[in-house]
Amino acid sequence: MPNSSHATPPSDAGRGPSSIAARAMGGLRPTAASYLDGLNEEQRRAVEATEGPVLVLAGAGTGKTRVLTTRIAHLISTGRARPFDILSVTFTNKAAREMKHRIGTLVGPAGEGMPWLGTFHAIGTKILRRHAELVGLKSDFTILGTDDQLRLMKQVLKDQNIDEKRWPARALGHVIDGWKNRGLGPDQIPAGEAQAFAFGKGGDLYTAYQARLVTLNAVDFGDLLLLCLKLWRENPEVLTIYQDKFRYILVDEYQDTNVAQYLWLRLLGQTRKNIACVGDDDQSIYGWRGAEVDNILRFEHDFPGAVVVRLERNYRSTGHILAAASGLIAKNQGRLGKTLRTEDELGEPVTVSGAWDSEEEARLLAESIESLQAKQHPLSEIAVLVRISAQMREIEDRFVQLGLPYRVIGGPRFYERAEIRDALAYLRATKNPSDDLAFERIVNTPKRGLGDATLQQLHLYARAEQVPLLHAARKLCETDELKPRVRSTLRALTESFSRWARLVESNPHSEVAQTILEESGYTEMWQKEKSADAAGRLENLKEFVRSMEEFPDMGAFLEHVSLVMEASEAEGADRVSLMTLHAAKGLEFDTVFLPGWEDGLFPNQRALDESGRAGLEEERRLAHVGLTRARKRAKLSFAVNRRIHGLWSSTIPSRFIDELPETAVDVIEAPAHFSAGASRFDRNPQPFGSSYGTPGWQRAQANTGQGNGGSGNFGKGAAHTTARGFGASPGGGRGGPRQIEGELIAKSTGAPSAFETGMRVLHTKFGPGDVAAVDGNKLTVDFDKAGRKMVLDSFLQPA
DNA sequence: GGTACGCGGATTTTT
DNA sequence: TCCGCGTACC
C-alpha cells in the first residue's frame, strides 16, 4: 500500500482534453499556461491528473494550496469546467478565503464566482436551503451555535426528567455530536450505543433533541452535513442533480474529514469519480472531534484506480528542522509514509533546553525572543506554540512584564462572544418571531425582572397552545395570569419586537440593529458595566453593527454571521504570535518556540488515557505539525516543575524529545544554577516536587530503586545520561535530601542561600523587592512592581 | 428575582 | 489557580 506513488497523467479514453482530438489540438492552444510554470514534477502531475480519483499526499510545506488552486485554474482555463461546475471544499473559512483569493490571482475574473467553493458547512447550508422542505424544515431555518445547542440539550434533559448532574448536557451534546460526525441519524444508532447514555435513554434523547430542532426550524452544525445525507438518500433525484452539477470535486485537508463528510463526498463523487483529495496523514490532529485518519488511509480502496501523488519536496524549513520533524513522525505506525526533503541548507539545529519551572521557562523564552529582536528579527516572524491554552498565562505574564508586544491567535471567535450572541439573538427574534431560543436568550438580558418563574409560565403556555414563546408572551399579557409588574414589562418587550419587526421592513438593517440594541437597553447595560472588558464589548457591538452594512439584508447577514464571522484581526503590528499547536496548523514562521515538552502535558496524559496508542500517535503528529511550522529555527523546551491547577508538580521531559534524531538537535545545557550537569535526555523524575501524590511524584517513587526503570520508556532512542540530579533545592523543609540511584542530590549551587526572609533585594529583571521565604536557592520575593515571584538567588543581589 | 459565596472540575476546537 | 454553576440568602 505505501508505494503506489507512480502516478502518471491519466490518458483517459474518450472525452476530455486528453482525447485524441484534444491532443491533436494541443499545440494549437495558447501556449501552455503560465500558471503551470514553477511547479515541480509531482505538483504538476497532481494538477494535470484531472480525470478520475486522485489522492495528493502533501507533506508540510510542499505547496499543497498551490496545487489545489492551480488545479482549479487548470480545469477552468482548459475548458474542462466552468467555475460553477467545480465543488471545492475546505474546513475553515480562512482556507476558503485564501483559495478564492489565490484562484483570483491565477485566472483573473474567470475564476470569480466559484459559488461552490467553501466549507463543508457553508455548502451544506446552501444545498439544504434549496430543499429544506424535503427534510422537514423551512428554507429560512436558523443555524444554532454551540451555546444554543447546549441550552436545547438542557431542556431536553429536563423534559425527560434526567438528573443533569449525573448526565450533564455537555456530555449528551458530545455523544450526539459523535453520532452526527459518524453520519448517524437518530434511527441509525447501533443498539449498543444507544444504551450508553443515561441508562439507555441516549437514543430517545437524540430523537427528542432532533424533534425540538424541527419545531424550532433550526439545525445545529452537525445537521448541515447529516441532513444532506438524509436528503440525498431519501430523494435520489435530488442527489442526481448534484452529481451532475459537480463535474469536479476538490477536497482540502482530507485527513480531517469525519465519516459524515466522507459519506457526503462519496455520494457526490460516485458517478463522475472526478474527486481529488489533498491531505497529509501526518497532520491529522483532529481525531478527538471526529476526524478519521482512516479516510485518507483507505482512499485507494474506496476509489479504485486512484492516482496517488506524493509531494515530498519541502520548500519551507531548513534541513535540521525537517530532519527533526521527520525523525519524530517516523515513530508513528499506521501512516502512508512520506519522506520530506529539502534542498535548503541544514541551518540551525533544533534546540532543546530545560528550565527549573514553568516560570523560568517563560523567562528564558522571553529572553530568547528579546535577543532575536535585538538582532533585528521581526517579532511577527516569531511564534510560541503551546499544547494547551493554560500554558499561555505564564508566558503572557512574562511578555507583559517585559512590554514585549504579542498577540494571541485563536481563542473565542468573534461570533461566540456573549455580546455578539446576545445582539444576534435580538436580531433573530425580531426577524423570526418563532425563534424561541433567541427570545429566551435575551428575554432577561439586560435584567428586566423576567426571570425563571416567568419563563416557566411562558413555556407552559406556549406548549399548551402550540405557539412560539413570543406569541405566548403576547397572549399572556392579555390575561391576568401575570403579576402586574411582570405583565407590563413583558408587554413592553413584545411591543418592542413588533415595532422592530416593522422597522426591518422599511429601513436599512444596520440602522434598525442599532435602534434595537439601544431601545432594548442592551447597549446601556454594557455602558453601565464597569468591568475591564466592557469597553471592548461595546467596541465589538459597534463592529458588529458596522459589518452589517456589507450585506444586502438582514437575512444575508444572519446567515453569514452564523457560519463564518470572525474577529477582524488588527494586522500589521510587529508582534509575537502566541497560540496552541492546533491553531498553528497551516501557518509558518521563521522562528518557532515550543515550550512545555513534558510527559503528561505533551504528549497529553488525557489523550493517552482516552485513546491509548492512537492518542499517542496523534500527539506525535501534533509535535510534527509544531516543528514543521518553523522555517529557520525551532526551539523546544521543558520545565521540571510546573504548576497544574494551582499545584506545583514535578514533571519529566517529553518522550518525544528522546525521539528526535540527535544529529538535528542541539542541547542547550541547563544554566549552572539549575543543574549540576544534567542532560536533557535525563528522564529520571525529580523527586522533590513540592506536592506529593502528583503523578510525577508517584512515578518518582516507583522509579527509586528500580535502576534505570523509568516509566517504561528507557532503553530506546538516544543514550541517556545517568541521573546526577537536577540539583536545586533538596526539597526545602519538606523532607531533606533524597537519594536516587544511590546518589545524593546535591544542593544546586552548593552553598546555602545567602539571603534571609525579610531582606531587601534587587532582581535583574523584576527590580527591588522583599524576600518572603527561602527554600534552598529558590526564594519567594515580593517585588514592588512585579508582585510575588519565585526566583533563583543567582539573579538577586542584596539591595 | 437578584446577588454572594462555595464547590468541583479543569485539553486540543471548526463549523 | 481560576472559572462556572448551584445554592442560600436578601
Side-chain angles (χ1 to χ4, degrees), chain A residues 739-756:
Chain A
Q739 256 182 310
I740 306 183
E741 294 176 18
E743 279 185 74
L744 191 69
I745 299 178
K747 277 187 179 174
S748 56
T749 44
S753 175
F755 298 95
E756 283 169 31

Side-chain angles (χ1 to χ4, degrees), chain A residues 67 286 733 786:
Chain A
V67 163
Y286 285 112

Side-chain angles (χ1 to χ4, degrees), chain A residues 1 21 37 94 293 425 460 481 608 611 639 647 650 677 695 704 753:
Chain A
M1 180 169 67
D37 291 350
K94 202 173 135 202
V293 208
L460 226 58
E481 283 182 50
L608 266 39
S611 321
L647 293 171
S650 68
T704 315
S753 175

Side-chain angles (χ1 to χ4, degrees), chain A residues 58 62-71 95 98-99 102-103 106 252-253 278 311 586:
Chain A
T62 54
K64 174 192 68 143
T65 310
R66 180 156 192 204
V67 163
L68 268 172
T69 52
T70 311
R71 191 179 161 91
E98 171 159 356
M99 267 178 68
R102 286 174 65 168
I103 292 164
L106 273 180
D252 189 17
E253 305 278 18
V278 180
L311 304 183

Side-chain angles (χ1 to χ4, degrees), chain A residues 497-519:
Chain A
F497 271 112
S498 311
R499 193 172 61 252
W500 297 331
R502 268 178 270 123
L503 279 179
V504 177
E505 300 301 320
S506 52
N507 289 282
H509 49 285
S510 69
E511 277 174 33
V512 181
Q514 181 75 36
T515 309
I516 294 176
L517 292 181
E518 269 160 29
E519 290 186 2

